Structures are given as structure tokens and as C-alpha cells.
Amino acid sequence: MRSPVRWARTPPAARADRSGLPVVAWRWLAGLLVGATSGLAGAHLALADVHAFTDNLTGGAGYLAVVAVIAGRWRAWPTALACVFFGLAEALQFAAPALGLHLPTAVLVMSPYLLAVLAVSGLVGASRSPAALTRPFAREAR
């Protein structure tokens, strides 16, 4: 069985509307939840990790997040696994010297972004965005 959020974002949204699911309300709820969690993540990054707001605070993390969604083929669990993969690649730049790997610092810093470029270039496989993405829901005449 599909979740109400997935029903509200896919092309059968009209079918979900006919079944009584409030498609517009679920889309608003999903948007508000994403905005709230993104705001909390930004506050955590600025206050807990760095203790101040500076320019280029995220250091390209938004790019890696978009690539993780594309590599995860717009599904929740594969996207979470892609995020873990990119996080491990970023953590490698700090762990590699401790593990005795003597790689140039530039290679370690660019490794998550190099993996992201490889993922988007087609090594992960074809990924198509959802058909209803960016399209407003218009209730059909009954």
C-alpha cells in the first residue's frame, strides 16, 4: 500500500483525490515538513558544528543532497543509502590520515564531489524525476 504522500505526488493524484485523499493538503504538509527539517538542519550546522554563520557554510552539501536524490532514483531508502555513501566519502578525508593512507589533501577533499559527478554521469543508472514534480494539482471536473 502506498503512503498518502506518494499518492499525492504521483500522476494518479486524480485517482487519489477521487478516493477522498486531500491531495493539496498532503502536498502542503509535505512541503512544510521539508521546510521545517531543512531549517533545523541549517540551524544545527550553523550553531552546533561551526558556532557561527559564515559564507559558504554548507561547502557544497546541497549539491551532494541533490545528487543523492538523483542517485537514489527519487525513492526514500535508496536516497538515504546514497547520503550515507557520500557521508562516508566525506568522513574519509578525516579518517584516511589516521588509517595510514597517505593521499594528497586535495584528493581527499574532492572525493565526495568526484563520486557525485560519477553518480550523475550515469554510473548509477538512469533516473527519471517523478512525472508530477513541479506540476500543480488541479482537481478534475466530476
Side-chain angles (χ1 to χ4, degrees):
M1 181 172 189
R2 290 184 150 194
S3 71
V5 173
R6 185 170 290 176
W7 272 108
R9 73 170 172 82
T10 57
R15 186 172 55 199
D17 183 51
R18 284 192 299 271
S19 71
L21 181 74
V23 174
V24 175
W26 274 104
R27 284 187 173 186
W28 269 96
L29 182 65
L32 289 173
L33 182 66
V34 166
T37 54
S38 297
L40 287 173
H44 172 74
L45 185 64
L47 298 175
D49 283 350
V50 184
H51 302 293
F53 181 81
T54 60
D55 287 338
N56 198 20
L57 180 70
T58 61
Y63 171 73
L64 291 177
V66 170
V67 171
V69 170
I70 293 170
R73 295 190 176 116
W74 301 82
R75 303 274 184 236
W77 288 110
T79 299
L81 288 175
C83 288
V84 168
F85 179 72
F86 289 136
L88 289 174
E90 195 159 332
L92 181 66
Q93 64 184 308
F94 304 111
L99 295 173
L101 297 174
H102 300 290
L103 296 171
T105 305
V107 171
L108 293 172
V109 170
M110 75 175 183
S111 63
Y113 305 102
L114 181 62
L115 292 172
V117 168
L118 291 174
V120 171
S121 67
L123 292 181
V124 173
S127 176
R128 290 192 315 225
S129 63
L133 187 67
T134 71
R135 291 190 183 152
F137 175 72
R139 180 170 278 154
E140 294 179 351
R142 293 182 187 193

